[in-house]
Amino acid sequence: INLALNMYDSVIGGNDDYYYVKPTDMSNLPNYYREIDLQTTIDRHRGGWKQYQNTRNYLLEKGKSLKMFDGHCPITYNRTAFQKVNEADWTKEYGYGIKSLYGNLNDLEGLLLHDTKIMEGLPPQIVTNTIDSSFIVSSSTRMNKHLLKYLEKEFPHKSKWEK
């Protein structure tokens, strides 16, 4: 991120397991968060996500909010604002959740968007997220049959690059 911010005033950061399904104004992306407190994520993983424990503790020390911005959605990083993230102790084992540090250290209000993945079936929340956010999230390990079924239904005409 720092390398990109050395070249540009702002960059979009994201994950590799979601798909844009409609035109999206990338210059005006909301700052999505999925939970009001990182502790929810930590508890869901039985305390196993040390980077989020580190993140939460650091934010508490700084007196900042604790929103979980590290969901499966894009975020726009600004060069000047990102400097607050660089002030953290990056030698700390397991590091930090970069999106959550960035969002909370810069007092981003954010927009709640529950994080969902198409792992099995097609839960209604995924359809709602797609309508609200322009993208859907797949399993982090593969293009699965549920996502493929959804894409084929919503986009019956293949692009010239598809077989």
Side-chain angles (χ1 to χ4, degrees), residues 58-75:
Y58 186 81
L59 292 169
L60 283 171
E61 288 171 16
K62 298 288 184 184
K64 295 295 185 175
S65 62
L66 304 170
K67 293 175 186 163
M68 173 52 149
F69 284 93
D70 285 278
H72 294 87
C73 52
I75 189 168

Side-chain angles (χ1 to χ4, degrees), residues 12-67:
I12 296 170
N15 305 70
D16 63 355
D17 55 358
Y18 56 81
Y19 305 85
Y20 288 93
V21 294
K22 59 185 173 184
T24 304
D25 179 1
M26 301 303 275
S27 67
N28 195 25
L29 285 172
N31 297 300
Y32 295 114
Y33 67 93
R34 73 179 189 198
E35 294 153 353
I36 199 74
D37 191 329
L38 287 152
Q39 190 64 48
T40 306
T41 296
I42 295 165
D43 291 346
R44 189 171 48 254
H45 292 276
R46 297 180 193 95
W49 279 18
K50 304 292 186 210
Q51 76 217 44
Y52 296 122
Q53 290 176 339
N54 291 347
T55 304
R56 189 173 190 279
N57 291 340
Y58 186 81
L59 292 169
L60 283 171
E61 288 171 16
K62 298 288 184 184
K64 295 295 185 175
S65 62
L66 304 170
K67 293 175 186 163

